[in-house]
Coordinates of all heavy atoms in Angstrom, one line a residue:
M1 N 44.2 10.8 8.1 CA 42.7 10.6 8.0 C 42.3 9.3 8.5 O 43.0 8.2 8.2 CB 42.3 10.6 6.5 CG 41.4 11.7 6.1 SD 40.6 11.6 4.6 CE 41.3 12.9 3.7
N2 N 41.3 9.1 9.3 CA 40.9 7.9 9.8 C 39.8 7.4 8.9 O 39.4 7.9 7.9 CB 40.5 7.9 11.2 CG 39.2 8.7 11.4 OD1 38.4 8.9 10.5 ND2 39.0 9.4 12.6
M3 N 39.5 6.1 9.1 CA 38.6 5.3 8.2 C 37.2 5.9 8.1 O 36.6 5.9 7.0 CB 38.5 3.8 8.6 CG 38.0 3.1 7.6 SD 38.9 3.1 6.2 CE 38.6 1.6 5.3
N4 N 36.7 6.4 9.4 CA 35.5 7.1 9.3 C 35.5 8.2 8.3 O 34.3 8.5 7.7 CB 35.1 7.5 10.6 CG 33.7 7.9 11.0 OD1 32.8 7.3 10.2 ND2 33.4 8.7 11.9
Q5 N 36.4 9.2 8.3 CA 36.5 10.2 7.5 C 36.5 10.0 6.2 O 35.8 10.6 5.3 CB 37.7 11.2 7.9 CG 37.5 11.9 9.2 CD 38.9 12.6 9.5 OE1 39.9 12.0 9.3 NE2 38.8 13.7 10.2
I6 N 37.2 8.8 5.7 CA 37.2 8.4 4.3 C 35.9 7.9 4.0 O 35.4 8.3 2.9 CB 38.3 7.3 4.2 CG1 39.8 7.9 4.5 CG2 38.3 6.7 2.8 CD1 40.9 7.0 4.5
I7 N 35.3 7.1 4.8 CA 33.9 6.6 4.4 C 33.0 7.8 4.2 O 32.1 7.7 3.2 CB 33.5 5.7 5.5 CG1 34.4 4.3 5.5 CG2 32.0 5.2 5.3 CD1 34.1 3.4 6.6
N8 N 33.0 8.7 5.1 CA 32.1 9.9 4.9 C 32.4 10.6 3.7 O 31.4 11.1 3.0 CB 32.2 10.8 6.2 CG 31.6 10.2 7.4 OD1 30.6 9.4 7.3 ND2 31.9 10.6 8.7
M9 N 33.6 10.8 3.3 CA 33.9 11.6 2.1 C 33.3 10.8 0.9 O 32.8 11.4 0.0 CB 35.5 11.7 2.1 CG 35.9 12.6 1.0 SD 37.5 13.0 1.0 CE 38.4 11.3 0.9
V10 N 33.6 9.5 0.9 CA 33.1 8.7 -0.3 C 31.6 8.8 -0.3 O 31.0 9.0 -1.3 CB 33.5 7.3 -0.1 CG1 33.0 6.4 -1.1 CG2 35.0 7.3 -0.3
I11 N 30.9 8.6 0.8 CA 29.4 8.7 0.8 C 28.9 10.0 0.4 O 27.9 10.1 -0.5 CB 28.8 8.3 2.2 CG1 29.0 6.8 2.4 CG2 27.4 8.6 2.4 CD1 28.7 6.4 3.9
R12 N 29.5 11.0 0.9 CA 29.1 12.4 0.4 C 29.3 12.7 -1.1 O 28.4 13.1 -1.7 CB 30.0 13.3 1.2 CG 29.2 14.8 1.3 CD 30.1 15.6 2.3 NE 30.5 15.2 3.6 CZ 31.8 15.1 3.9 NH1 32.7 15.8 3.1 NH2 32.1 14.6 5.0
R13 N 30.3 12.2 -1.7 CA 30.6 12.3 -3.0 C 29.6 11.5 -3.8 O 29.1 12.0 -4.9 CB 32.0 11.8 -3.4 CG 32.5 12.0 -4.8 CD 32.5 13.5 -5.3 NE 32.9 13.6 -6.6 CZ 32.3 14.4 -7.4 NH1 31.5 15.3 -6.9 NH2 32.7 14.4 -8.7
V14 N 29.3 10.3 -3.5 CA 28.3 9.5 -4.2 C 27.1 10.1 -4.2 O 26.3 10.1 -5.1 CB 28.4 8.0 -3.6 CG1 27.2 7.2 -4.1 CG2 29.8 7.3 -4.0
M15 N 26.6 10.6 -3.0 CA 25.3 11.1 -2.9 C 25.2 12.4 -3.7 O 24.1 12.7 -4.2 CB 25.1 11.5 -1.4 CG 24.7 10.4 -0.5 SD 23.3 9.4 -1.1 CE 22.0 10.5 -0.9
N16 N 26.2 13.2 -3.7 CA 26.1 14.4 -4.5 C 26.0 14.1 -6.1 O 25.2 14.6 -6.9 CB 27.4 15.2 -4.4 CG 27.4 16.0 -3.2 OD1 26.5 16.4 -2.7 ND2 28.6 16.4 -2.7
I17 N 26.6 12.9 -6.6 CA 26.5 12.5 -7.8 C 25.0 12.1 -8.1 O 24.4 12.4 -9.2 CB 27.6 11.5 -8.2 CG1 28.9 12.1 -8.3 CG2 27.2 10.8 -9.5 CD1 30.1 11.1 -8.3
A18 N 24.5 11.3 -7.3 CA 23.2 10.7 -7.3 C 22.1 11.9 -7.5 O 21.2 11.9 -8.1 CB 22.8 9.8 -6.3
I19 N 22.4 12.9 -6.5 CA 21.4 14.0 -6.5 C 21.5 14.9 -7.7 O 20.5 15.1 -8.3 CB 21.7 14.8 -5.2 CG1 21.3 14.1 -4.0 CG2 20.9 16.2 -5.3 CD1 21.8 14.9 -2.8
N20 N 22.8 15.0 -8.4 CA 22.9 15.8 -9.5 C 22.1 15.1 -10.7 O 21.5 15.7 -11.5 CB 24.3 16.0 -9.7 CG 25.0 17.0 -8.8 OD1 24.3 17.7 -8.1 ND2 26.3 17.0 -8.9
K21 N 22.4 13.9 -10.7 CA 21.7 13.0 -11.9 C 20.2 13.1 -11.7 O 19.5 13.2 -12.6 CB 22.2 11.6 -11.8 CG 23.7 11.5 -12.3 CD 24.0 10.0 -12.5 CE 25.5 9.9 -12.9 NZ 25.7 9.8 -14.2
G22 N 19.6 13.0 -10.5 CA 18.2 13.1 -10.2 C 17.7 14.4 -10.6 O 16.8 14.6 -11.3
I23 N 18.4 15.6 -10.5 CA 18.0 16.8 -10.8 C 18.0 17.1 -12.2 O 17.1 17.4 -12.9 CB 18.8 17.9 -10.1 CG1 18.6 18.0 -8.6 CG2 18.6 19.3 -10.7 CD1 19.5 18.8 -7.8
N24 N 19.0 16.6 -12.8 CA 19.1 16.6 -14.3 C 18.0 15.7 -14.9 O 17.4 16.1 -16.1 CB 20.4 16.2 -14.9 CG 21.5 17.2 -14.6 OD1 21.3 18.4 -14.3 ND2 22.8 16.8 -14.4
A25 N 17.7 14.6 -14.5 CA 16.6 13.8 -15.1 C 15.3 14.4 -14.9 O 14.5 14.4 -15.7 CB 16.6 12.4 -14.3
G26 N 15.1 15.1 -13.7 CA 13.8 15.8 -13.5 C 13.7 17.0 -14.5 O 12.6 17.2 -15.1
V27 N 14.7 17.7 -14.9 CA 14.6 18.8 -15.9 C 14.4 18.2 -17.3 O 13.5 18.7 -18.0 CB 16.1 19.6 -15.8 CG1 16.2 20.5 -16.9 CG2 16.3 20.3 -14.6
D28 N 15.1 17.1 -17.5 CA 14.8 16.4 -18.8 C 13.3 16.1 -18.9 O 12.6 16.1 -19.9 CB 15.7 15.3 -19.1 CG 17.2 15.9 -19.4 OD1 17.3 17.0 -19.6 OD2 18.1 15.1 -19.1
Q29 N 12.8 15.4 -17.9 CA 11.4 14.9 -17.9 C 10.5 16.1 -18.0 O 9.4 16.1 -18.8 CB 11.1 14.3 -16.7 CG 11.6 12.8 -16.6 CD 10.9 12.0 -17.6 OE1 11.1 12.0 -18.8 NE2 10.1 11.1 -17.1
M30 N 10.7 17.2 -17.4 CA 9.9 18.4 -17.5 C 9.9 19.0 -19.0 O 8.9 19.4 -19.5 CB 10.5 19.5 -16.7 CG 9.6 20.8 -16.5 SD 9.9 22.3 -17.5 CE 11.6 22.2 -18.0
A31 N 10.9 18.9 -19.6 CA 11.1 19.2 -21.0 C 10.3 18.3 -22.0 O 9.8 18.8 -23.1 CB 12.5 19.3 -21.4
K32 N 10.0 17.0 -21.5 CA 9.4 16.1 -22.4 C 7.8 16.2 -22.2 O 7.1 15.4 -22.9 CB 9.9 14.8 -22.2 CG 11.2 14.4 -22.6 CD 11.6 13.1 -22.3 CE 13.1 12.9 -22.7 NZ 13.6 11.5 -22.3
R33 N 7.3 17.1 -21.4 CA 5.8 17.2 -21.2 C 5.2 17.4 -22.6 O 5.7 17.9 -23.6 CB 5.5 18.3 -20.3 CG 5.9 18.0 -18.9 CD 5.4 19.1 -18.0 NE 5.5 20.4 -18.4 CZ 5.5 21.5 -17.7 NH1 5.3 21.3 -16.4 NH2 5.7 22.7 -18.2
K34 N 4.0 16.9 -22.6 CA 3.1 16.9 -23.9 C 2.9 18.4 -24.3 O 2.8 19.3 -23.5 CB 1.8 16.4 -23.7 CG 1.7 14.9 -23.7 CD 0.3 14.4 -23.6 CE 0.3 12.9 -23.6 NZ -0.9 12.3 -23.6
G35 N 2.9 18.7 -25.7 CA 2.7 19.9 -26.2 C 3.9 20.9 -26.2 O 3.6 22.0 -26.5
R36 N 5.0 20.4 -25.9 CA 6.3 21.3 -25.9 C 7.1 20.8 -27.0 O 7.4 19.5 -27.1 CB 6.9 21.3 -24.6 CG 6.0 21.7 -23.5 CD 6.8 22.1 -22.3 NE 7.3 23.4 -22.3 CZ 7.7 24.1 -21.3 NH1 8.0 23.3 -20.2 NH2 8.4 25.3 -21.4
N37 N 7.6 21.6 -27.8 CA 8.6 21.3 -28.9 C 9.9 21.3 -28.3 O 10.3 22.4 -27.7 CB 8.2 22.3 -29.9 CG 9.1 22.0 -31.2 OD1 10.0 21.0 -31.2 ND2 8.9 22.6 -32.3
A38 N 10.7 20.5 -28.7 CA 12.1 20.4 -28.3 C 13.0 21.7 -28.7 O 13.9 22.1 -28.1 CB 13.0 19.2 -28.7
D39 N 12.6 22.2 -29.9 CA 13.4 23.4 -30.5 C 12.8 24.8 -30.0 O 13.2 25.8 -30.4 CB 13.1 23.3 -31.9 CG 14.0 22.1 -32.5 OD1 14.8 21.7 -31.8 OD2 13.4 21.7 -33.5
D40 N 11.8 24.6 -29.1 CA 11.1 25.9 -28.5 C 12.1 26.7 -27.7 O 12.5 26.2 -26.9 CB 9.8 25.4 -27.7 CG 9.2 26.6 -27.3 OD1 9.2 27.8 -27.7 OD2 8.2 26.4 -26.3
P41 N 12.3 28.1 -28.1 CA 13.3 28.8 -27.4 C 12.8 29.0 -25.8 O 13.7 29.2 -25.0 CB 13.3 30.2 -28.0 CG 12.3 30.2 -29.4 CD 11.7 28.8 -29.2
D42 N 11.5 29.1 -25.6 CA 11.1 29.2 -24.2 C 11.4 27.9 -23.5 O 11.8 28.0 -22.3 CB 9.6 29.4 -24.2 CG 9.1 30.7 -24.7 OD1 9.9 31.7 -24.7 OD2 8.0 30.9 -25.2
L43 N 11.3 26.8 -24.0 CA 11.7 25.6 -23.5 C 13.2 25.6 -23.0 O 13.6 25.2 -22.0 CB 11.3 24.3 -24.3 CG 11.8 23.0 -23.7 CD1 11.2 22.7 -22.4 CD2 11.6 22.0 -24.7
Q44 N 14.1 26.0 -24.0 CA 15.5 26.2 -23.8 C 15.8 27.1 -22.7 O 16.6 26.7 -21.9 CB 16.1 26.7 -25.1 CG 16.0 25.6 -26.2 CD 16.4 24.2 -26.0 OE1 17.4 24.0 -25.2 NE2 15.7 23.2 -26.4
Q45 N 15.1 28.1 -22.5 CA 15.2 29.1 -21.5 C 14.9 28.4 -20.1 O 15.6 28.7 -19.1 CB 14.7 30.4 -21.7 CG 15.3 31.2 -22.9 CD 14.4 32.6 -22.9 OE1 13.4 32.8 -22.8 NE2 15.2 33.6 -23.5
D46 N 13.7 27.8 -20.1 CA 13.3 27.1 -18.9 C 14.2 26.1 -18.4 O 14.6 26.0 -17.3 CB 11.9 26.5 -19.1 CG 10.8 27.6 -19.3 OD1 10.9 28.6 -19.0 OD2 9.7 27.1 -19.7
K47 N 14.8 25.4 -19.4 CA 15.7 24.4 -19.0 C 17.0 25.0 -18.3 O 17.6 24.5 -17.3 CB 16.2 23.5 -20.2 CG 15.0 22.4 -20.5 CD 15.4 21.7 -21.7 CE 16.5 20.7 -21.5 NZ 16.8 19.8 -22.5
K48 N 17.5 26.1 -19.0 CA 18.6 26.7 -18.6 C 18.4 27.3 -17.2 O 19.4 27.2 -16.4 CB 18.9 28.0 -19.6 CG 20.3 28.7 -19.3 CD 20.6 29.7 -20.3 CE 21.8 30.5 -19.9 NZ 22.2 31.5 -20.9
R49 N 17.3 27.9 -16.9 CA 17.0 28.6 -15.6 C 16.8 27.4 -14.5 O 17.5 27.6 -13.5 CB 15.7 29.2 -15.7 CG 15.8 30.6 -16.3 CD 14.6 31.5 -16.0 NE 14.3 32.4 -17.2 CZ 13.5 32.4 -18.1 NH1 12.5 31.4 -18.0 NH2 13.2 33.2 -19.1
L50 N 16.3 26.3 -15.0 CA 16.2 25.3 -13.9 C 17.7 24.7 -13.6 O 17.9 24.5 -12.4 CB 15.4 24.1 -14.5 CG 13.9 24.2 -14.2 CD1 13.1 23.2 -15.2 CD2 13.5 24.2 -12.9
R51 N 18.4 24.5 -14.6 CA 19.8 24.0 -14.3 C 20.6 25.0 -13.4 O 21.4 24.6 -12.5 CB 20.6 23.7 -15.7 CG 19.9 22.5 -16.2 CD 20.8 22.1 -17.5 NE 20.1 21.2 -18.3 CZ 19.9 19.9 -18.2 NH1 20.4 19.3 -17.1 NH2 19.2 19.1 -18.9
Q52 N 20.5 26.4 -13.8 CA 21.1 27.3 -13.0 C 20.6 27.3 -11.5 O 21.4 27.4 -10.6 CB 20.9 28.7 -13.6 CG 21.7 29.0 -14.9 CD 21.4 30.2 -15.5 OE1 20.4 30.9 -15.3 NE2 22.2 30.8 -16.5
T53 N 19.3 27.2 -11.4 CA 18.8 27.1 -10.0 C 19.3 25.9 -9.2 O 19.6 26.0 -8.1 CB 17.2 27.2 -10.0 OG1 16.9 28.3 -10.8 CG2 16.6 27.1 -8.6
A54 N 19.3 24.7 -10.0 CA 19.8 23.5 -9.3 C 21.3 23.6 -8.9 O 21.7 23.3 -7.8 CB 19.6 22.4 -10.3
R55 N 22.1 24.4 -9.7 CA 23.5 24.5 -9.6 C 23.7 25.3 -8.3 O 24.5 25.2 -7.4 CB 24.2 25.2 -10.8 CG 25.7 25.1 -10.7 CD 26.4 25.7 -11.8 NE 25.7 25.1 -13.2 CZ 25.2 25.9 -14.1 NH1 25.3 27.2 -14.0 NH2 24.7 25.4 -15.2
L56 N 22.8 26.4 -8.1 CA 23.0 27.3 -7.0 C 22.5 26.6 -5.8 O 23.2 26.7 -4.7 CB 22.0 28.5 -7.3 CG 21.9 29.5 -6.2 CD1 23.3 30.1 -5.9 CD2 21.0 30.6 -6.4
T57 N 21.4 25.7 -5.9 CA 21.1 24.9 -4.7 C 22.1 24.0 -4.2 O 22.3 23.9 -3.1 CB 19.7 24.1 -5.1 OG1 18.8 25.0 -5.5 CG2 19.1 23.4 -3.8
R58 N 22.8 23.2 -5.2 CA 23.8 22.4 -4.8 C 25.0 23.1 -4.1 O 25.5 22.7 -3.2 CB 24.4 21.8 -6.1 CG 23.6 20.7 -6.7 CD 24.1 20.2 -7.9 NE 23.1 19.8 -8.8 CZ 23.1 20.1 -10.0 NH1 24.1 20.7 -10.6 NH2 22.0 19.7 -10.8
R59 N 25.3 24.4 -4.6 CA 26.4 25.1 -3.9 C 26.0 25.5 -2.4 O 26.8 25.5 -1.6 CB 26.6 26.4 -4.7 CG 27.5 26.1 -6.0 CD 27.8 27.4 -6.7 NE 28.3 27.1 -8.0 CZ 28.4 27.8 -9.1 NH1 27.7 29.1 -8.9 NH2 28.9 27.6 -10.2
M60 N 24.8 25.9 -2.3 CA 24.2 26.4 -1.0 C 24.2 25.1 -0.1 O 24.4 25.2 1.1 CB 22.9 27.0 -1.1 CG 22.8 28.4 -1.8 SD 21.2 29.0 -2.0 CE 20.7 29.2 -0.3
G61 N 24.1 23.9 -0.6 CA 24.0 22.8 0.2 C 25.3 22.3 0.8 O 25.4 21.7 1.8
K62 N 26.3 22.9 0.2 CA 27.7 22.5 0.6 C 28.1 23.2 1.9 O 29.1 22.8 2.6 CB 28.7 22.9 -0.4 CG 28.7 21.9 -1.6 CD 29.7 22.3 -2.6 CE 29.5 21.3 -3.9 NZ 30.6 21.6 -4.8
F63 N 27.4 24.3 2.3 CA 27.8 25.1 3.5 C 27.3 24.5 4.6 O 26.6 23.9 5.1 CB 27.2 26.6 3.4 CG 27.8 27.2 2.3 CD1 27.2 27.8 1.2 CD2 29.2 27.5 2.4 CE1 27.8 28.5 0.3 CE2 29.9 28.3 1.3 CZ 29.2 28.8 0.2

């Protein structure tokens, strides 16, 4: 492996971590909107669906 490949691999990994943290932060912010109870089952389902969609999007981005 040459240095360019190693640098690209590290940058790709760091960017994936940053993107994942950003998506998770966005989901958490959506959950904190006014008028929503943290124990609300609909909210829990929404969060679960958003995380599943984000996971699928991340997998599709790898191709």
